[in-house]
Amino acid sequence: MSTSSGEVTTTAVPSGRAALLITVSGTVQGVGFRRFVHRLATRLGLDGWVLNTGGHVELSVAGPPPALRLLVARLRAEAPLLARIRRVTLAGLPGPPPPPGSGFTVRASTRAEGPPGTPDIPPDVATCEACLRELFDPGDRRYRYPFVNCTDCGPRATVIEDLPYDRERTVMRRFPLCATCAAEYSDPADRRFHAEPTACPVCGPCLAS
């Protein structure tokens, strides 16, 4: 086992490929980290998955060794602005590696085994420029919607009830997503991909009149 500052010990797999189990610790939940990892791994042609577990993010990845090295380097260098990475731990995979051509996915979160550590809860974040444009655009479906947000902004600490950070463990679980919001939430190309407070006037909370 090693960290990203040392030698990368990988699991050898056939056809010139290698595999890694990567654990990223710090403020890495509620900051768009899974979306970032998904896009990065997909661009590098890697197979595997990413998920939230406890207060960490875990990746299982396989592919050409140079692509794996780039992934590890860019996890820190290109991390979302709201992320605060304390540690990147690398290890060989305990089981079979992701098969070639299987693609990269975001998996359902899991509870971490063992005693809980100190959670890194991200703070609430001021509304980003993209959401402000929607807020003041009369043609946008979130026009003047006070709870507009995305993976780059919006409530975090005030809605989180437990980790790993998923909608079901926030106050937003009381507001099932409408079809349009659900499509944004599920689209890796959308800035609301796995943005847990995602909502709109149709499905989200509203101000009392």
Side-chain angles (χ1 to χ4, degrees):
M1 181 180 296
S2 64
T3 64
S4 58
S5 59
E7 291 298 319
V8 178
T9 302
T10 60
T11 299
V13 295
S15 304
R17 288 162 54 88
L20 272 176
L21 179 67
I22 306 174
T23 302
V24 187
S25 305
T27 306
V28 290
Q29 295 191 20
V31 294
F33 205 83
R34 288 175 296 179
R35 176 175 179 258
F36 155 68
V37 169
H38 181 279
R39 297 177 69 180
L40 176 59
T42 300
R43 287 202 310 267
L44 293 173
L46 296 168
D47 301 303
W49 46 260
V50 60
L51 56 76
N52 284 343
T53 177
H56 315 298
V57 169
E58 188 172 283
L59 299 74
S60 175
V61 288
L68 288 176
R69 288 193 289 271
L70 277 175
L71 174 72
V72 172
R74 291 180 181 178
L75 283 177
R76 286 186 181 274
E78 300 176 10
L81 289 176
L82 302 178
R84 298 292 181 269
I85 298 176
R86 287 192 287 105
R87 185 176 178 83
V88 178
T89 304
L90 312 177
L93 295 184
S102 57
F104 199 87
T105 61
V106 176
R107 283 193 174 181
S109 301
T110 63
R111 297 277 187 168
E113 297 181 359
T118 303
D120 289 275
I121 303 296
D124 295 350
V125 184
T127 308
C128 69
E129 291 295 328
C131 283
L132 285 174
R133 285 194 295 270
E134 293 177 338
L135 181 66
F136 296 113
D137 179 1
D140 194 275
R141 70 189 190 92
R142 291 187 173 89
Y143 176 55
R144 299 184 67 182
Y145 182 59
F147 303 107
V148 61
N149 70 87
C150 69
T151 53
D152 296 325
C153 70
R156 298 295 190 270
T158 54
V159 299
I160 292 174
E161 295 182 333
D162 197 7
L163 294 177
Y165 179 55
D166 287 292
R167 194 178 182 92
E168 66 192 54
R169 284 178 285 276
T170 74
V171 299
M172 296 303 294
R173 68 180 183 279
R174 303 180 181 92
F175 302 94
L177 294 173
C178 66
T180 306
C181 283
E184 294 172 338
Y185 182 90
S186 304
D187 182 1
D190 197 284
R191 78 177 196 280
R192 292 190 170 94
F193 181 53
H194 281 273
E196 308 307 344
T198 291
C200 75
V202 173
C203 63
C206 296
L207 294 178
S209 57

